[in-house]
Amino acid sequence: MDSNPDNPVQDQDPASESDEPSPADPNQNRTDTTEPDDPPPADSDINPTQTSESVEHNTVEPESSVPERLKSLTLQEPSSEDIRQKHVSNGSLPADFYASDEIEIVEEEEEEGGLASSSGGGGVVTWTNRSDGPPSPSSSGYAAEGGSSVASSGGVEEETEGNSDWGREKKHFHEDDGSDSWRKRKKHFFILSNSGKPIYSRYGDEHKLAGFSATLQAIISFVQNSGDSIKFVRAGKHLIIFLVKGPIYLVCISCTDEPIEALRGQLELLYGQMLLILTKSVNRCFEKNPKFDMAPLLGGTDAVFSSLIHSFSWNPATFLHAYTCLPLSYPTRQAASAILQDVAESGILFAILMCKHKVVSLVGAQKASLHPDDIFLLANFILSSESFRTSESFSPICLPRYNPMAFLYAYVHFLDLDTYLVLLTTSSDSFYHLKDCRVRVQNVLAKSNVLSEIQRSMLESGLRIEDLPSEPTRPPVERINTESISTQRTVGGSAGLCHFMYKSVYLNQFVSSDFSAPLKNPNQQKRLYRAYQKMYASMHDKGTGTHKTQFRRNQDYVLFCWITQDFELYATFDPLADKAQAIKVCNRVCQWVRDLENEIFLYAESTFSW
Amino acid sequence: MGVSSMAAGSDAMQLQLCVFDLRRGQQEGQELDKILFFYPSDCPFLTQLSLIGLCEGIITFTRIFSPEAACEVIEAEKHSHVFYEAEPDIWMVLVVEKSKDDEPVWRCEALQGVLKEVHSLFKMFYMSIYALLDKQPSGELARSHLHSFITDYLSDFQLGKKVQMPSFRDSLKERGTVQMLTVSREVALEVQSLITAISSCCNGCDSIILFQDLLVSTTLPPDDTTNLFSYATLRLTPHALSSSTSSSWSYLRKGNSTPNLSNLTLLNEHQSRSLDASSLGQNRQISSIPRLLQRDKWSKGKDGFLVPNFSGGESTPVVWNQQTEECKYLCVYQQKGITVVMLVPVSSLANGEQELVQVKKEFLENVAQRVTIVEQKLSRGWGGENAYHVSGYRYLLIDRDRSVSRATPTGKVTTLTKESLLYLNKLREEVDIEKWRWHRDNPDQEKELEVCIRAKNNAWVIAKVTRGKELYMVLEKANETLLYATDAVEKFSNRYCEGAFSMEY
């Protein structure tokens, strides 16, 4: 991969844990504007979190389940009480987070706009449950469908496989730490406060888990009191990972055989997702009141967290710390980038065009760069919140790697089912301006056929290992030394190649091949994903540094990893693959990716920002 | 936990080791009764209780999710706590302080290996902690035995003021395994006839024979062999007897300075003397505990038999064979480099130790001459402490089924860079975890794993696991290609491992 010294992608070290905003951050001061002294009146009828242009209809997507339909129906006529409840749910933030002058413009009448909560599907449901009982922000309308998960004898499976249903899958609300099924779940995530109050639990009702949460807090505090800090506990196949972030404690309890480093990274992302919704200013609430109950702030964001946790078992971005692009012809991407650049010059911090989890184009204001983790968390937030799909939204969000202390404002609009435009600004009153920008972008994209190209690319498959050219098209720049390997030529797949991932270190982008025949089963894919996770952890050791190559063979695969200054290649072969042939194929994969880099990677950032 | 508070007060405070019984001290105010052993013994009770409280809490907590597998490790920023459930509800916990640079210097399994070893040795002499607690429910008997035994055991890890646990520098060693001497066919036949001769000295007599610190033969099952081999290399072999000379080529032991833990142990000795304890498996009354792991307490007698001189009594030590569940007298005969450990069943001697004199006499008359012949032959073929060095390779070869290992001699391992050893330590940790998983998921299925890493410092760090055998290797001056490294392993496997790690396809 060519190095590009002018590439403006700041290498924000993923390991850096700085609590302070980056000194280079031009928007550092804007933090102040988001932390007002003058909160909106508590009984204001205006939803401070988000405005909505369109009413949420009770149109139901084809894949919606019956409870989903029921849920939508119940929402059609919110009671006056529902509207009142809105202020404490669905990502609504406490007074500390908002300036009175930041209350967003509501385009539609409140009764309608209120339905489009920032937290989408999960949050919308909560209102129907509020009229009786305690305010349980994450109470689920699905409480009764507890039988939906089947407990197996060897442990309860994780969330369903496949990428379609996670968002609407509710955590198993009837469970608590006394339930056998709860104890057997393969992977728990908890967020709690340093006073032991539960904030989030992947499974079960947080309120019922108060005792359990207090136990976790006690363990952490006990070790802290001795001047140490607990990192993990291992018991049999179970790993308990602890992450302390100021007043917030995060814990993962897993028997998924993932490496410690990977699980810790997932807790970091979970924390990042929480910051994206709340910013780090939430710490201030704990300074004022150590017993502060934070759970209501995240009320209704269950879908966001469950989709995030689901992505820990399928999306390599979660451990590669890189993003992936939708493959597009160079001119098409250029056209998209040009119009984004055009609008970005009018005071927009970042303009991002995405299709599902893939970036189509990304343009940043001068010297501003987006960390891949921020892109990932933002996309997860948008894609898992149903309301973004149905309405034009203007929502405060925080990019934790960019500036964990401050809110930005995200204008989000879905241009079609999967493609959406995100315009990020520091100004809270830019809604109309951003809306105009969006209209301009949308017109240009439509005229230049970019949208149809995007859809075509989505339908077409990506890199298929069967298409790996049999002969390098030009001499490779850097090769693994293969002096003694045989000269027998093989095509991709026949040397036993099953899959590969390639990360461009400079671009912070990765590309992975489609899953081919031996890996069609989602369980096999998840197993391979976990094998990559292990390989990544093994190659990137914080203590001892990054290794150069690794060959690993077990019953299931041969895994090959090759890391240079420019790229990281992870390739999977049949367990009986011949080493020499595998090395040769790896060289060809690298060459192939380089040949295609204009289509599979985004260079626009460097081209347009300077 | 209080570990750090103590660390601040004393340089030596790098390690804590405790043994506690979760069934005891259930009533509030009686928590101290849980503690059966704590090192250092001068640690304040509050600190001791604090550590045990944490451990007990974590054990209970992890059982919520993992009822079938107990807590193994608590990793904190500054300390690692390694757990071993020695007997049901009786836990041993080792707390080690991390160095400032927070390097992953230990391997959990290596530290657990220390706990397992001391417990196995303890069982060899005292049957079990349970047995001692049964004998005297107040726990004093168990406490005094554990105290002298573990304290004596730890003296082998003492370097100056600090107790040094196995670290990444010991990645090419495997505790709990036996190192064998390879002998020619001719010598093997001699050894065989020697074994026959020994067993004819007395009915049911078992033996293990060592040359230097390497095992030549055994008539015991693997577990008992491993225990006795460990004890022999710790206290009985010519090298162990002259342990005051510091240089050591033993695979697992460091050279040690004179132990200075003894003053701590005197305390307990006083207590134990007041107890009318009887040794196990027999009705021999003793006035105090023989401290069988005390250093420099075996000396060579004129007749070639080693004479025990333990502060707890001078009678012949008795060991407990786990496999046969039998008590046996430990008689050790040594001639130059060869050590013959004879195990004479207590039950076979009607008059106890008096009859043992007869057995020894018979040995000297009928067997000693054969020992001399075997010793001469072994000495002639002995390549010295670097006999198993393979030029260009730094390796560790383990046969789990037989509990046997062979490795690059310690002196040669030290030529490796610190980085390479750290990489290997990390890789071994990964392999350990993988092996545990296999064992849990499907213990009967044979699993295979091969990992070749070209590390940051250009060394090849290699692990191969196949059919119960493990090979770990560091190649520092190897060519850069994976194929070269593979070829090097292949050659090694064919030449030294009977092709166990060679490719089959």
Side-chain angles (χ1 to χ4, degrees), chain A residues 3-22:
Chain A
S3 75
N4 185 353
D6 295 323
N7 192 319
V9 181
Q10 287 171 10
D11 191 14
Q12 293 184 8
D13 180 8
S16 119
E17 296 284 337
S18 172
D19 287 354
E20 299 304 319
S22 154

Side-chain angles (χ1 to χ4, degrees), chain A residues 465-466 496-498 515-521 524-525 557 574:
Chain A
I465 51 160
E466 294 81 2
L497 178 68
C498 306
F515 288 109
S516 69
L519 294 164
K520 281 296 180 199
N521 176 327
Q524 290 171 323
Q525 293 170 8
Y557 322 103
D574 181 81

